[in-house]
Amino acid sequence: MWKIKPFDHLILILGTAFLLTPVVLAIMSSTHSAVAIHTGGLFLTPGTEGPATYAKVLTRRGGFTGDVTGLSMMMNSLILGVGFAVGKIVLSMMAAYALVYFRFRFATAIFWAIFATLLLPLEVRIMPSYQVMSDLHLLNTYTGLIVPLLASATGTFYFRQFFKSVPDELLEAARIDGAGPVKFFLDILVPLSRTMMAAIFIIMFVYGWNQYLWPILMTTDEHFFTLMRGIKSILQVWVGSQIPDYNEAFALAVLAMVPPVLVVIVFQRMFIKGLTESDK
Amino acid sequence: MAGITLSAVGKTYAGGVEAVSDVSLTIADGEFIVLVGPSGCGKSTLLRMVAGLEEITEGEVTIGTRVVNRLEPSERDIAMVFQNYALYPHMSVRENMAYGLKNRGTPRAEIEARVAEAARMLELGPYLDRKPRALSGGQRQRVAMGRAIVRQPAAFLFDEPLSNLDAKLRVSMRGEIRKLQRRLGTTSLYVTHDQLEAMTLADRLVVLNGGRIEQVGTPLEVYHAPASTFVASFIGAPAMNLMDAQVAGGRVLLEGVDMGPAALPDGAVTLGLRAEDLSAAPVGLPVTLDYVEELGASRIVHAMAEGQRIAFAHPPEAPLAEHMALRVAPGRLHLFDTLTGKRIGRAARVPEVVA
């Protein structure tokens, strides 16, 4: 161990301040009125309008149909984030299982084909994806929002590496114990992958939560709007005749931060374990 | 309970590499057979072929009365103990032992009774609810054996089960395995590269070299009458001295010194001499001291006889000198064909086992 020097602390403190300042600004500003923000700029001190603003953002009905609330947008984001993360884990675990444990021709080639899609961002295939969903009449559905994004090279890659590090003897012992392929997967591999699953869940939940472009394309029905869209639409749709509701936009942004932060806090220990420990 | 028969068993890998060839062996019910050989001799492959983890490309394996070539490992009525234990890390000791029985649909009460019995036998009672991670190496290995015992299989297969343990534990576990096997009377096939382990455990030893059987016999037969120079140098510590010698006029001459009689035509032979059959004498084979291995109860002296290395046992209290003369106990000459390495002539006297 090295001795910790004051200089090291200084760097850490500066880094923390750099990352935290915008968050603090957003939180503090969300507790002031729109007028105050419009005239006085951003605030570093708490104001008095906080509770009122948050209550309004969460419950006020808005949009064209008049029944979209912050809460309903949050629900949509949660459904997207969780569905996305869970779906990705299930799909990529099964893909990795097939790639690692079943000897079939071109397994490596198939893996690299999957891996190559890592290089292709969603934007590249966004038109064909939209077309397919449209033909299947899945626009404006949760299925349409989630399913096209499920195939995950990253997840498959992580699980493949993890499965490869599981000793072969475990498979052999299970075979002698009379466990078939499905039983081995469910009884041995899935429980062993728990920390790995938690790690992937965090990454994928945040990724799904932050999706912006795809939901915008896929959903024209306001009932399916996510928080990310909501922030944008505050400044467009909810704009009054004079001043944009900056405070509400900030409040919504703060609310949008909470679930990912909670997920990270809850899964943090497993996350670190999953990415570092090889406990087999 | 059942015997195992291997007939002309062979394994050729896809690339054409022949790992095991033409192995025939009949294992009696309840016998403890140890497969021993250097790494890469095919002993593990052979064991895994019996277990069903490796495909059999030639020959037939019979367990009991069934030919098992095409059966899944779980259908072969065997249990295996692995070198790295292969315990399921997320299951408790109890679950680890019960898993195989659960998969076979054994009634719950029966599973509990068998696990309790195995735990009692292996003194694992206090650890039943622990995870393997919280156990020591020796305890883990006992759990692995418990997992094998509860299945009450026709045969136990051991794949170097003690290699991951420290030396002291290895000796005590060795004793436990032997006692357990005697008590259960289950046919066992045990793979090891440790010749001492092989000698102490086996009813019969199978020495493998390059995928073929070199010799099959009781530990004493193999020790006292090795079938080839390979077996001679592999079994026993220190390894048997193998020296270039001449037969002339019915006598074996080593560096021109008469070592004893040999009923062979004149010519070159390989002479095998165990270190403990050699002793210092006023006259005999002259050697020059090289270095000494102290073993406490005895010492192994390494010396040079002209250009050839020779090791001999020497009592620690007896004096050592730079130049000494060695004589060999009568009837303890092992003669091997210089070219083929095969043993020539009758087997040396094998001592009776004292029961």
Side-chain angles (χ1 to χ4, degrees), chain B:
Chain B
M1 308 282 144
I4 302 174
T5 311
L6 312 180
S7 39
V9 169
K11 169 83 191 176
T12 313
Y13 281 105
V17 179
E18 208 171 41
V20 173
S21 49
D22 195 26
V23 169
S24 294
L25 186 65
T26 306
I27 302 169
D29 184 12
E31 207 175 5
F32 200 119
I33 293 283
V34 175
L35 302 174
V36 66
S39 45
C41 72
K43 56 191 190 298
S44 280
T45 311
L46 191 60
L47 187 80
R48 293 163 54 82
M49 279 155 75
V50 175
L53 300 172
E54 203 83 63
E55 210 184 318
I56 301 163
T57 49
E58 289 120 51
E60 249 177 25
V61 173
T62 314
I63 298 177
T65 52
R66 293 184 305 161
V67 175
V68 297
N69 281 35
R70 311 229 48 93
L71 291 182
E72 272 291 300
S74 56
E75 296 162 349
R76 294 189 180 197
D77 200 14
I78 46 105
M80 188 152 166
V81 178
F82 295 87
Q83 179 179 353
N84 64 2
Y85 325 127
L87 299 176
Y88 311 120
H90 58 289
M91 295 187 190
S92 69
V93 168
R94 187 195 305 278
E95 290 165 333
N96 259 291
M97 292 206 260
Y99 186 63
L101 295 177
K102 224 158 62 186
N103 287 342
R104 301 170 138 204
T106 314
R108 185 182 297 246
E110 167 88 16
I111 296 181
E112 259 170 45
R114 287 206 206 171
V115 168
E117 169 65 11
R120 196 186 52 76
M121 233 188 281
L122 296 163
E123 293 161 26
L124 284 171
Y127 310 110
L128 276 179
D129 293 311
R130 288 210 199 161
K131 294 273 169 68
R133 179 181 327 154
L135 300 178
S136 70
Q139 287 165 341
R140 287 184 204 182
Q141 194 52 309
R142 283 221 288 275
V143 176
M145 283 176 14
R147 191 167 63 178
I149 291 171
V150 293
R151 300 193 48 189
Q152 305 181 344
F156 289 138
L157 307 177
F158 297 92
D159 191 1
E160 309 212 11
L162 305 182
S163 300
N164 279 9
L165 302 178
D166 63 60
K168 196 174 161 204
L169 203 53
R170 209 177 300 165
V171 173
S172 68
M173 285 298 288
R174 202 160 71 196
E176 278 185 48
I177 289 183
R178 190 68 183 117
K179 267 193 288 185
L180 202 67
Q181 196 269 342
R182 283 263 161 81
R183 196 153 101 200
L184 298 169
T186 308
T187 314
S188 299
L189 201 53
Y190 187 109
V191 161
T192 181
H193 62 260
D194 180 342
Q195 54 93 18
L196 193 64
E197 213 170 287
M199 293 280 292
T200 49
L201 280 173
D203 288 329
R204 278 195 300 157
L205 275 180
V206 177
V207 184
L208 287 165
N209 182 25
R212 291 173 185 278
I213 291 185
E214 199 82 14
Q215 186 173 10
V216 181
T218 65
L220 289 181
E221 275 167 16
V222 173
Y223 186 81
H224 290 288
S228 66
T229 49
F230 173 81
V231 179
S233 60
F234 191 75
I235 300 290
M240 183 186 277
N241 298 299
L242 293 171
M243 335 260 309
D244 296 327
Q246 301 288 328
V247 175
R251 307 297 295 178
V252 183
L253 301 180
L254 178 58
E255 303 294 345
V257 179
D258 185 357
M259 302 303 288
L264 285 177
D266 292 1
V269 289
T270 301
L271 173 63
L273 297 168
R274 288 269 178 221
E276 69 269 23
D277 294 336
L278 291 163
S279 53
V283 286
L285 177 70
V287 295
T288 312
L289 223 60
D290 190 10
Y291 64 98
V292 179
E293 267 182 273
E294 292 289 357
L295 300 178
S298 75
R299 47 167 62 137
I300 304 295
V301 181
H302 295 262
M304 301 295 286
E306 297 292 325
Q308 304 194 58
R309 308 204 138 269
I310 187 166
F312 62 97
H314 198 66
E317 61 279 359
L320 281 172
E322 177 74 28
H323 296 281
M324 297 173 80
L326 295 179
R327 136 186 109 72
V328 65
R332 293 302 176 88
L333 301 184
H334 304 265
L335 297 174
F336 302 97
D337 189 293
T338 314
L339 291 176
T340 62
K342 296 286 173 223
R343 184 178 192 85
I344 309 172
R346 66 185 170 79
R349 189 178 53 85
V350 176
E352 294 290 311
V353 181
V354 182

Side-chain angles (χ1 to χ4, degrees), chain A residues 184-206:
Chain A
F184 175 67
F185 183 64
L186 293 178
D187 286 356
I188 314 285
L189 274 187
V190 171
L192 278 183
S193 313
R194 268 188 323 224
T195 50
M196 204 59 204
M197 284 156 76
I200 307 264
F201 183 85
I202 294 189
I203 299 174
M204 293 309 169
F205 177 81
V206 173

